[in-house]
Amino acid sequence: AEGELFLAEQIIEGEPVVLGRISVAVDYRFCETFNEKTGFFGFFECLYSLNLAKALFEKVKVWGKARGLEGMIGPISPSTNDVLGLLVQGFERDPMIMMPYNMPYYVSFMEELGLKEIQTLLAYEMPISREIFEILRKRAEILKRRKQRLEGITLRNFNLKDFKAEVERLREVYNNAWEGHWGFVPWEQKELWTIAKNLKLFLVPELTVCAEFQGEPIGVLIAIPDYNQALKKMNGRITLSALYKFLFRKWKIKDIRLMILGVKKEFQRRGIDTLMYLRAFESALKLGYEGGRCEFSWILESNWPVRRVIEHIGGKISKVYKIYELPL
């Protein structure tokens, strides 16, 4: 991959003032996987000025054309394995950890600059409650009676003492489960290990689930507390007082984000996802998250098998995100 970052500045009283920003990138593995000459734009922020937004996207066009690309899609910041989408519905809610947020007027910028919607991503939300737990428990019991193929499936939490091996098992399952879905580029070992190391301190082992069959990993689920609730109190500063606020607020977090879910293809549609949801919700209740919210994000609008399960157990769409294309 390669990329570049652009800032829009204006000199005010002799000092440069940043008015906007945008990133550009091309992931050659994405181009190869989908047989497209497509790049990404992302990290878009801009004051309320259509001309300023137009100038930033002109940079995107010039950069993409110089590399022989036929289109730029985004916001993708900076790859499809990172932060995706422009928020178009659900502005009244704060973003959960590692999910995007933007000003509502960005949506009109996309339309007025001629960008086309190409994908819709959804976030679902449900309360962390005993009522939801009971729905999951009853659904799991029905599945176990009807689906004998669930025999031999075992569940366990991730072993952080064997972290490197666990990350490799996660990569194996996730690459198999998501192969063929829009935007998915298989995780390379070094890439996932870098992400995993950054997340390790934030993981709560009880909110991770690994499904196995005859000792082999076949499913993974990872949920993490919404640390944004604590990070927001730091006001963008890393000082002793800010760190104290983070640590104090960290123990008061009630919401969680279910950010990774995957079941190997040959084991899909058997109800293994329901078993993993049940295990995670049971742990969340025991850990004191009752009364909070669980966000499932993000989910492709076209991924009906996952959407049906979430809606059946009480999930409601809370946020909608769009991916746009800028033709070159």
Side-chain angles (χ1 to χ4, degrees):
E2 63 173 305
E4 200 163 347
L5 311 173
F6 294 105
L7 295 177
E9 294 182 341
Q10 182 177 0
I11 303 300
I12 299 177
E13 297 181 357
E15 295 291 334
V17 177
V18 177
L19 307 179
R21 71 182 193 188
I22 203 162
S23 71
V24 286
V26 56
D27 181 349
Y28 295 111
R29 290 185 302 139
F30 178 93
C31 296
E32 181 181 347
T33 300
F34 295 97
N35 194 27
E36 297 178 6
K37 294 181 179 180
T38 303
F40 306 146
F41 68 86
F43 295 108
F44 173 67
E45 297 288 353
C46 181
L47 294 182
Y48 189 52
S49 166
L50 182 60
N51 287 335
L52 182 59
K54 184 177 181 181
L56 287 165
F57 277 97
E58 283 299 319
K59 279 289 186 183
V60 173
K61 286 183 178 180
V62 170
W63 193 91
K65 287 179 180 178
R67 284 152 182 80
L69 302 177
E70 296 174 353
M72 302 289 284
I73 63 174
I76 294 175
S77 311
S79 81
T80 52
N81 287 334
D82 292 284
V83 179
L84 278 69
L86 188 84
L87 182 67
V88 300
Q89 181 181 318
F91 294 101
E92 69 281 0
R93 295 277 199 187
D94 283 355
M96 287 220 180
I97 188 77
M98 297 178 69
M99 289 298 288
Y101 190 87
N102 51 265
M103 300 299 289
Y105 62 80
Y106 288 10
V107 181
S108 63
F109 282 175
M110 300 295 138
E111 296 168 353
E112 293 182 58
L113 292 174
L115 280 78
K116 301 176 183 178
E117 297 177 10
I118 61 167
Q119 287 292 338
T120 300
L121 314 176
L122 306 173
Y124 277 85
E125 184 180 292
M126 68 176 63
I128 302 172
S129 65
R130 299 192 180 276
E131 180 183 1
I132 297 293
F133 173 76
E134 281 302 311
I135 292 173
L136 282 165
R137 186 183 63 79
K138 290 175 182 178
R139 180 179 172 85
E141 287 178 355
I142 292 171
L143 287 168
K144 287 177 181 178
R145 287 198 299 268
R146 291 181 180 175
K147 305 260 187 180
Q148 293 185 357
R149 290 181 300 174
L150 286 176
E151 292 180 3
I153 304 296
T154 58
L155 303 179
R156 63 172 178 81
N157 298 122
F158 276 40
N159 179 6
L160 295 187
K161 294 181 179 179
D162 192 24
F163 188 65
K164 199 160 188 175
E166 293 285 54
V167 171
E168 186 56 28
R169 295 183 190 105
L170 164 63
R171 187 171 77 95
E172 175 192 337
V173 172
Y174 204 74
N175 283 350
N176 177 288
W178 279 85
E179 182 184 17
H181 284 270
W182 177 87
F184 181 71
V185 177
W187 267 328
E188 290 188 351
Q189 188 177 50
K190 185 177 179 181
E191 177 188 18
L192 181 57
W193 178 241
T194 301
I195 295 170
K197 282 193 296 183
N198 291 334
L199 282 176
K200 185 178 181 181
L201 290 175
F202 298 102
L203 287 179
V204 176
E206 294 87 348
L207 297 179
T208 64
V209 184
C210 180
E212 295 180 334
F213 179 71
Q214 296 180 351
E216 293 297 318
I218 60 169
V220 291
L221 178 154
I222 294 179
I224 61 174
D226 181 25
Y227 291 106
N228 273 5
Q229 295 178 27
L231 291 169
K232 187 175 181 179
K233 299 298 180 181
M234 296 175 68
N235 199 29
R237 301 177 182 276
I238 302 178
T239 63
L240 285 176
S241 60
L243 289 172
Y244 173 77
K245 289 178 182 177
F246 172 80
L247 293 172
F248 178 76
R249 183 69 182 177
K250 174 184 175 182
W251 303 111
K252 295 188 174 184
I253 294 172
K254 283 287 189 179
D255 300 341
I256 61 177
R257 178 190 166 210
L258 197 156
M259 61 184 297
I260 292 177
L261 173 70
V263 177
K264 283 186 175 180
K265 285 184 170 59
E266 60 268 37
F267 291 92
Q268 291 176 3
R269 301 177 187 269
R270 298 192 188 187
I272 295 170
D273 49 356
T274 297
L275 299 184
M276 293 194 294
Y277 290 149
L278 177 62
R279 175 74 170 254
F281 259 74
E282 183 178 21
S283 296
L285 290 172
K286 289 179 179 178
L287 292 170
Y289 290 95
E290 186 173 1
R293 300 172 294 144
C294 177
E295 180 178 282
F296 298 71
S297 57
W298 50 266
I299 297 164
L300 280 169
E301 184 182 44
S302 59
N303 193 347
W304 278 106
V306 171
R307 291 184 61 188
R308 286 191 187 98
V309 173
I310 296 173
E311 290 176 5
H312 183 81
I313 60 177
K316 306 291 184 183
I317 295 173
S318 57
K319 298 187 182 80
V320 179
Y321 307 86
K322 297 286 185 179
I323 300 289
Y324 294 86
E325 180 182 27
L326 177 69
L328 300 182

